Each structure stands twice: as structure tokens, then as C-alpha cells.
Amino acid sequence: MIVCYTVAELRKARARLPAPVGFVPTMGYLHAGHLALVRQSKLENAATVVSIFVNPTQFDRADDLASYPRDVPRDLRLLEDLGVDAVFVPSADEMYPPGFKTLVRVQEITEVLEGAHRPGHFDGVATVVTKLFNIVQPDRAYFGQKDAQQVVVVKRLVADLNFPLEIRVVPTVREPDGLALSSRNVRLTPEGRRAAPLLFRALSAARDAWLAGERDAERLRERVRAVLAKEPRIRLEYVSLAHPETLEELEGEVSRGLLSLAAWIDDVRLIDNVVLEGEV
Ligand code: PAF
């Protein structure tokens, strides 16, 4: 496995890789969810490139950026064990050198849900993903369903800017108690960790209602709120049932949708989602 710290090194390594090349962009502190993306890429491509870069431009809060967990040596060991071909670990200066002025903005679908609560977040994501796609030039790129809005935004970006690559979406990996894997989970207190599985239980309650025939959008959202109201440690930021591509909030009878939420458990913000019929 070759580890590249600069764009020039990565380009040189990339030129020697056999096609097709799969790419897994990450912010490091890898967990089983990331490893599932890498395994999928390994299955579908002749070579796999992973990036590890805690992208400062997608953090709306300085404390969140500062406390984001990092362990690059451990990440590199995990990736080596999985047989990854090349890892790109750029510094912030390498990605955003002095004088950097360009922003990639996907409109409208970035202004709701996560975008409404994390101003500028998706501008940071779209910009860094654009840069990474240009640097790595993958044939396929792998994203987790857990960040459902990110998937919608990146698919739009790829279509709108004609990137010659395919976006592959891998299902959310969960703990046995249902908690979606996230690098932020390590910041939960023991009490917070005990409360956290309720997020997926709330989404599952609404999905069960959906499977039993409930089709009213507001009643489905209310199911989620009702379950979470039982746990005072959880502060729900939003629950949404939205159109899976436009992300417009749905009202009345629905035939499919993306049911998603964001919630605070103490000072840790977690997100999760389920798709009601069909795939995002
Ligand atoms: O999902 C993430 O970890 C990040 O948003 C990504 C795609 C690596 C861009 O920084």
C-alpha cells in the first residue's frame, strides 16, 4: 500500500493503478462502516484508493472540528490489512493552499435538513469531493447510506458537472443494538451511549407503521417524535420525511420517502435515516 501526502504523489501512484479504480473518501478514524465501503470497492474494482482528510471547510463549528477524532496510524494499519492500493492523506495546506478562492455549491437540496442546521456544510463537502474526484479520477466512488443527504448532493454534483464516474451507495452499518456507526459515537458518555439506540428504534417504529399501512407523512414523523420523547437525554433537532431526490418535505399521503433525523445526545450530534420503499 502506498501512502501519499501530496497531490503530486497521489497522481503518480494513480497513474500506475490498474482500471477500474474505486475510491472511498473518508475523514478517518475508520470504523466498520468505512471498512464496508472499502470491501465493496475491492469487490468491484481492480484497485482501491482511500483518502483520509478531516475537511475543515465542511465543519460549521470550530469545536466540532477540533474534537473530531483522529488516528491516522491505526487507519493505515486497517487499510493495509484490507489490501487497499493507495491512501491519500493530504494536509489542510495541500488541499487549500494560500490564495484558495473556489467554492462548489449545489443549490436548494443543500439548504434543507443537515444544510439548514449546518450552514455551509455542503459547500465544504461539494468542494472537497470535487477536488478529490479531480485528483483521484476514480471510476467508482463509495458513500454510506447513513449520510443520505450527502449521497443525494454528491449524485447531483456528479450529474451536473459531468464527472465520468459512478456513485455507489452502501447500506448503513449498525451496532447490534441498532446504533448507526459513526466516528462521533466515541464521544458519547456511557449514559449517552445507552440512550443512543433509541434513534434507530424511533425510525424503526415509523417504518413498522409504514409497513402496516400508515401513509400519512405527519403521522409517520409523529411516531418518531413520540418514541424519542421518552428519553430526556435526547434533544431532537429535526425529523423529516422528504422526497428521496428533491428532499422536499412531504405532506399528506406518501408513496415513498427518506425518513431522517438529527438529534443531540448531551453535546454529541448524531444523524440517522431509513428509506421508506425504494433506494435513495
Ligand atoms: O462523509 C464524509 O466522511 C465526508 O463528508 C467526505 C465525503 C469524506 C468529504 O469530506
PDB file of all heavy atoms in Angstrom, residues 25-27 53 55 58 125 128-129 143 147 150, ligand 1:
ATOM      1  N   PRO A  25     -13.723   8.115  -0.147  1.00  0.00           N
ATOM      2  CA  PRO A  25     -13.299   9.319   0.590  1.00  0.00           C
ATOM      3  C   PRO A  25     -13.733   9.201   2.050  1.00  0.00           C
ATOM      4  O   PRO A  25     -14.879   8.842   2.332  1.00  0.00           O
ATOM      5  CB  PRO A  25     -14.061  10.454  -0.109  1.00  0.00           C
ATOM      6  CG  PRO A  25     -15.232   9.816  -0.749  1.00  0.00           C
ATOM      7  CD  PRO A  25     -14.935   8.358  -0.954  1.00  0.00           C
ATOM      8  N   THR A  26     -12.819   9.497   2.984  1.00  0.00           N
ATOM      9  CA  THR A  26     -13.174   9.427   4.408  1.00  0.00           C
ATOM     10  C   THR A  26     -12.530  10.599   5.147  1.00  0.00           C
ATOM     11  O   THR A  26     -11.627  11.251   4.634  1.00  0.00           O
ATOM     12  CB  THR A  26     -12.675   8.127   5.093  1.00  0.00           C
ATOM     13  OG1 THR A  26     -11.285   8.286   5.441  1.00  0.00           O
ATOM     14  CG2 THR A  26     -12.856   6.910   4.217  1.00  0.00           C
ATOM     15  N   MET A  27     -13.001  10.786   6.380  1.00  0.00           N
ATOM     16  CA  MET A  27     -12.344  11.742   7.265  1.00  0.00           C
ATOM     17  C   MET A  27     -11.579  10.978   8.355  1.00  0.00           C
ATOM     18  O   MET A  27     -11.248  11.540   9.398  1.00  0.00           O
ATOM     19  CB  MET A  27     -13.362  12.708   7.871  1.00  0.00           C
ATOM     20  CG  MET A  27     -14.040  13.546   6.777  1.00  0.00           C
ATOM     21  SD  MET A  27     -14.628  15.146   7.324  1.00  0.00           S
ATOM     22  CE  MET A  27     -15.821  14.664   8.534  1.00  0.00           C
ATOM     23  N   PHE A  53      -8.979  12.686   5.185  1.00  0.00           N
ATOM     24  CA  PHE A  53      -8.792  14.141   5.279  1.00  0.00           C
ATOM     25  C   PHE A  53      -9.953  14.732   6.071  1.00  0.00           C
ATOM     26  O   PHE A  53     -11.108  14.667   5.631  1.00  0.00           O
ATOM     27  CB  PHE A  53      -8.733  14.768   3.881  1.00  0.00           C
ATOM     28  CG  PHE A  53      -8.574  16.260   3.896  1.00  0.00           C
ATOM     29  CD1 PHE A  53      -7.479  16.852   4.524  1.00  0.00           C
ATOM     30  CD2 PHE A  53      -9.523  17.083   3.297  1.00  0.00           C
ATOM     31  CE1 PHE A  53      -7.341  18.245   4.558  1.00  0.00           C
ATOM     32  CE2 PHE A  53      -9.385  18.470   3.323  1.00  0.00           C
ATOM     33  CZ  PHE A  53      -8.286  19.041   3.962  1.00  0.00           C
ATOM     34  N   ASN A  55     -11.863  17.438   6.615  1.00  0.00           N
ATOM     35  CA  ASN A  55     -12.027  18.627   5.767  1.00  0.00           C
ATOM     36  C   ASN A  55     -12.549  19.820   6.565  1.00  0.00           C
ATOM     37  O   ASN A  55     -13.734  19.870   6.919  1.00  0.00           O
ATOM     38  CB  ASN A  55     -13.003  18.270   4.637  1.00  0.00           C
ATOM     39  CG  ASN A  55     -13.340  19.461   3.781  1.00  0.00           C
ATOM     40  OD1 ASN A  55     -12.477  20.322   3.568  1.00  0.00           O
ATOM     41  ND2 ASN A  55     -14.567  19.518   3.296  1.00  0.00           N
ATOM     42  N   GLN A  58     -16.054  21.843   5.834  1.00  0.00           N
ATOM     43  CA  GLN A  58     -17.409  21.322   5.988  1.00  0.00           C
ATOM     44  C   GLN A  58     -17.878  21.334   7.444  1.00  0.00           C
ATOM     45  O   GLN A  58     -18.961  20.855   7.749  1.00  0.00           O
ATOM     46  CB  GLN A  58     -17.540  19.922   5.385  1.00  0.00           C
ATOM     47  CG  GLN A  58     -16.830  18.811   6.125  1.00  0.00           C
ATOM     48  CD  GLN A  58     -16.883  17.504   5.337  1.00  0.00           C
ATOM     49  OE1 GLN A  58     -16.170  17.339   4.351  1.00  0.00           O
ATOM     50  NE2 GLN A  58     -17.726  16.575   5.753  1.00  0.00           N
ATOM     51  N   VAL A 125     -18.456  20.095   1.621  1.00  0.00           N
ATOM     52  CA  VAL A 125     -18.445  18.717   1.111  1.00  0.00           C
ATOM     53  C   VAL A 125     -18.299  18.729  -0.413  1.00  0.00           C
ATOM     54  O   VAL A 125     -17.453  18.015  -0.985  1.00  0.00           O
ATOM     55  CB  VAL A 125     -19.730  17.957   1.529  1.00  0.00           C
ATOM     56  CG1 VAL A 125     -19.816  16.611   0.817  1.00  0.00           C
ATOM     57  CG2 VAL A 125     -19.785  17.749   3.040  1.00  0.00           C
ATOM     58  N   VAL A 128     -14.722  19.802  -1.518  1.00  0.00           N
ATOM     59  CA  VAL A 128     -13.652  18.829  -1.291  1.00  0.00           C
ATOM     60  C   VAL A 128     -13.862  17.567  -2.134  1.00  0.00           C
ATOM     61  O   VAL A 128     -12.899  16.984  -2.648  1.00  0.00           O
ATOM     62  CB  VAL A 128     -13.496  18.498   0.221  1.00  0.00           C
ATOM     63  CG1 VAL A 128     -14.495  17.463   0.701  1.00  0.00           C
ATOM     64  CG2 VAL A 128     -12.069  18.011   0.515  1.00  0.00           C
ATOM     65  N   VAL A 129     -15.125  17.160  -2.300  1.00  0.00           N
ATOM     66  CA  VAL A 129     -15.392  15.967  -3.117  1.00  0.00           C
ATOM     67  C   VAL A 129     -15.008  16.248  -4.580  1.00  0.00           C
ATOM     68  O   VAL A 129     -14.413  15.396  -5.255  1.00  0.00           O
ATOM     69  CB  VAL A 129     -16.869  15.525  -2.959  1.00  0.00           C
ATOM     70  CG1 VAL A 129     -17.285  14.548  -4.049  1.00  0.00           C
ATOM     71  CG2 VAL A 129     -17.081  14.889  -1.582  1.00  0.00           C
ATOM     72  N   PHE A 143     -20.027   5.742  -1.028  1.00  0.00           N
ATOM     73  CA  PHE A 143     -20.558   6.566   0.055  1.00  0.00           C
ATOM     74  C   PHE A 143     -21.551   5.740   0.867  1.00  0.00           C
ATOM     75  O   PHE A 143     -22.207   4.843   0.329  1.00  0.00           O
ATOM     76  CB  PHE A 143     -21.270   7.805  -0.514  1.00  0.00           C
ATOM     77  CG  PHE A 143     -20.319   8.791  -1.141  1.00  0.00           C
ATOM     78  CD1 PHE A 143     -19.889   8.620  -2.460  1.00  0.00           C
ATOM     79  CD2 PHE A 143     -19.821   9.867  -0.415  1.00  0.00           C
ATOM     80  CE1 PHE A 143     -18.991   9.514  -3.033  1.00  0.00           C
ATOM     81  CE2 PHE A 143     -18.927  10.773  -0.982  1.00  0.00           C
ATOM     82  CZ  PHE A 143     -18.510  10.584  -2.290  1.00  0.00           C
ATOM     83  N   ASP A 147     -25.216   8.846   5.554  1.00  0.00           N
ATOM     84  CA  ASP A 147     -25.230  10.274   5.214  1.00  0.00           C
ATOM     85  C   ASP A 147     -26.088  10.446   3.957  1.00  0.00           C
ATOM     86  O   ASP A 147     -25.583  10.757   2.873  1.00  0.00           O
ATOM     87  CB  ASP A 147     -23.802  10.775   4.992  1.00  0.00           C
ATOM     88  CG  ASP A 147     -22.999  10.714   6.273  1.00  0.00           C
ATOM     89  OD1 ASP A 147     -23.418  11.327   7.264  1.00  0.00           O
ATOM     90  OD2 ASP A 147     -21.966  10.024   6.308  1.00  0.00           O
ATOM     91  N   GLN A 150     -25.951  13.635   1.923  1.00  0.00           N
ATOM     92  CA  GLN A 150     -24.658  13.736   1.230  1.00  0.00           C
ATOM     93  C   GLN A 150     -24.701  12.921  -0.074  1.00  0.00           C
ATOM     94  O   GLN A 150     -24.193  13.355  -1.112  1.00  0.00           O
ATOM     95  CB  GLN A 150     -23.545  13.235   2.145  1.00  0.00           C
ATOM     96  CG  GLN A 150     -22.183  13.180   1.490  1.00  0.00           C
ATOM     97  CD  GLN A 150     -21.066  12.987   2.510  1.00  0.00           C
ATOM     98  OE1 GLN A 150     -20.603  13.933   3.101  1.00  0.00           O
ATOM     99  NE2 GLN A 150     -20.625  11.755   2.694  1.00  0.00           N
TER     100      GLN A 150
HETATM  101  O1  PAF B   1     -18.617  11.519   4.622  1.00  0.00           O
HETATM  102  C1  PAF B   1     -17.517  12.000   4.912  1.00  0.00           C
HETATM  103  O2  PAF B   1     -16.733  11.430   5.677  1.00  0.00           O
HETATM  104  C2  PAF B   1     -17.101  13.342   4.317  1.00  0.00           C
HETATM  105  O3  PAF B   1     -18.189  14.190   4.191  1.00  0.00           O
HETATM  106  C3  PAF B   1     -16.350  13.196   2.975  1.00  0.00           C
HETATM  107  C4  PAF B   1     -17.240  12.591   1.902  1.00  0.00           C
HETATM  108  C5  PAF B   1     -15.132  12.340   3.159  1.00  0.00           C
HETATM  109  C6  PAF B   1     -15.916  14.577   2.475  1.00  0.00           C
HETATM  110  O4  PAF B   1     -15.058  15.198   3.380  1.00  0.00           O
END
